[in-house]
Amino acid sequence: MPVAASAIYFLNLRGDVLINRLYRDDVGGNMVDAFRTHIMQTKDLGTCPVRQIGGCSFLYMRISNVYIVTVVSTNANAACAFKFIVEAVSLFKAYFGGAFDEDAIRNNFVLIYELLDEIMDFGYPQNLSPEILKLYITQEGVRSPFSSKPQDARPPANATLQVTGAVGWRREGLLYKKNEVFLDIVESVNLLMSQKGTNLRCDVTGKILMKCFLSGMPDLKLGLNDKIGLEKEAQVKARPSKSGKTIELDDVTFHQCVNLTRFNSEKTVSFVPPDGEFELMKYRITEGINLPFRVFPSIKELGRTRMEVNVKVKSLFGAKMFALGVLVKVPVPKQTAKANFQVTSGRAKYNASVDCLVWKIRKFPGQAELTMSAEVELISTMAEKKAWTRPPIQMEFQVPMFTASGLRVRFLKVWEKSGYNTVEWVRYITRAGSYEIRC
């Protein structure tokens, strides 16, 4: 369930109540004394931000020299409560000129009480958008002398439309000489591979980033090669889909601008975009992953003072593509003295601070194999040698115009009542998240 907060308190570091607001009558006005006694005075603030005392839960966060404490008497959503606190602080900063501390609260009691009445109703969070609230709470906060200079911002033209509904993230009246949309699909590959080449863990986390410079109030529709969307389109058109590989998206989350009703019925991502840059959606994929690299390591310990390291890296993406900033870290024992290298491309060196052989390749072509060989000399000690537990090899890379999931944009349509032409730019980037190979 959502937050359903019974009360919210603002305390300084001494535990004095600066300001508070009771939203429900299921908690007493002295609940803050329990927080002071059981948490603040016992110096137990840093252990857990959620504590239960006397049948109530205290969810608190420190911002500057102020503690914000939310009291709930039911099994509320803790993540939603903390999200509310973060958004409320951003709202206060927008009114106070970028500062939020004890002095800012003391200088703006009346304004804070008015905002607390608007942003939460009977314990449930409401609209926390500074752009919308400033339309009808026009009082300016007392700005700190150290706050940044306020920026001039034009208010939305139609306040009623945005407050009641539809597009609180975008103001009307925007006008651009050139209407452009930039879309980036950025993916991170997480891999743990065994010595024998078996994938122990493999998944892709991705996000779709957009930057929109569009006039008016455009309506955008995005089509992807995801399995559900293609099956729905085939049903509507009464013929099988011929779009090639389909992707099953897991754990999808959308920006608030996405029309979820239309997504549930039509399985297309429809939205009125915010102006500028924003994150449209996030997703995760666990099946059908195309790994960009395979690593074949061979590490041999030759007695007490020598090691032979051979690493072959093979790129699996297309021959016309390339990876940038490839970094391969091969762990070695702490008693390593030096290493002599032979590489087919790039540069390699021994980094004693991280106990690794570091191989850097500026540009790695597709469908290619590169190798690194190293003779490692170890420091001989009289102490009994402990067995070396080999940490995994780690990789870092960035592959433009490649997605490990195979996700592709099928179409990006822009409709606006004035009928202007738009230019759409689409880019794909795959990076290494946690890319590890046991050796």
Side-chain angles (χ1 to χ4, degrees), residues 19-38:
I19 195 170
N20 71 289
R21 179 70 168 84
L22 297 177
Y23 293 102
R24 292 166 172 253
D25 57 4
D26 54 356
V27 298
N30 60 347
M31 287 306 297
V32 69
D33 296 334
F35 179 79
R36 254 194 308 257
T37 303
H38 294 278

Side-chain angles (χ1 to χ4, degrees), residues 201-411:
R201 185 192 72 242
C202 186
D203 67 86
V204 172
T205 57
K207 54 187 177 181
I208 297 182
L209 306 176
M210 296 195 69
K211 188 181 291 186
C212 295
F213 302 106
L214 299 173
S215 304
M217 278 288 181
D219 190 6
L220 276 67
K221 183 178 289 188
L222 173 65
L224 304 170
N225 61 331
D226 62 294
K227 183 178 181 180
I228 297 177
L230 288 174
E231 289 178 352
K232 185 68 177 181
E233 183 177 307
Q235 291 175 6
V236 172
K237 295 182 178 179
R239 64 172 183 266
S241 173
K242 299 181 180 180
S243 299
K245 182 180 179 181
T246 58
I247 307 300
E248 290 192 35
L249 300 178
D250 302 323
D251 304 332
V252 180
T253 57
F254 292 108
H255 187 274
Q256 62 173 336
C257 68
V258 175
N259 188 329
L260 296 180
T261 303
R262 190 181 296 181
F263 178 78
N264 290 330
S265 61
E266 302 177 10
K267 302 305 177 185
T268 57
V269 183
S270 302
F271 57 99
V272 177
D275 187 44
E277 190 171 352
F278 66 100
E279 183 180 280
L280 179 65
M281 61 180 284
K282 293 189 292 187
Y283 59 89
R284 190 170 67 93
I285 292 176
T286 55
E287 296 181 356
I289 297 172
N290 303 315
L291 294 177
F293 291 100
R294 286 293 299 269
V295 180
F296 305 93
S298 174
I299 299 178
K300 298 179 181 179
E301 299 183 44
L302 306 177
R304 297 171 61 91
T305 60
R306 287 184 61 229
M307 286 179 59
E308 280 188 0
V309 177
N310 294 284
V311 178
K312 180 172 70 172
V313 181
K314 182 178 181 181
S315 58
L316 304 178
F317 45 88
K320 295 182 179 180
M321 301 179 184
F322 55 86
L324 298 175
V326 178
L327 190 68
V328 183
K329 296 180 180 179
V330 183
V332 291
K334 290 184 177 295
Q335 65 269 25
T336 298
K338 64 176 183 178
N340 299 316
F341 296 93
Q342 287 185 344
V343 294
T344 55
S345 181
R347 295 180 179 181
K349 67 176 183 179
Y350 166 57
N351 190 333
S353 62
V354 293
D355 298 318
C356 284
L357 307 179
V358 181
W359 181 20
K360 295 182 179 180
I361 306 162
R362 188 178 63 87
K363 190 173 182 179
F364 200 124
Q367 297 296 313
E369 290 184 3
L370 301 181
T371 59
M372 178 194 73
S373 300
E375 293 185 0
V376 180
E377 296 184 12
L378 308 177
I379 299 173
S380 179
T381 60
M382 299 299 295
E384 182 179 353
K385 184 179 179 182
K386 295 182 180 180
W388 177 46
T389 57
R390 300 181 180 182
I393 294 174
Q394 296 179 332
M395 280 195 72
E396 298 176 11
F397 54 80
Q398 179 171 300
V399 188
M401 303 312 295
F402 172 81
T403 55
S405 65
L407 189 67
R408 286 288 183 270
V409 174
R410 294 190 296 119
F411 60 82

Side-chain angles (χ1 to χ4, degrees), residues 134-164:
K134 284 185 177 181
L135 296 175
Y136 52 94
I137 301 181
T138 57
Q139 177 184 347
E140 292 188 3
V142 178
R143 297 181 179 273
S144 167
F146 303 104
S147 64
S148 57
K149 183 179 179 181
Q151 297 179 352
D152 295 330
R154 291 180 296 172
N158 191 339
T160 304
L161 172 65
Q162 299 196 30
V163 172
T164 57

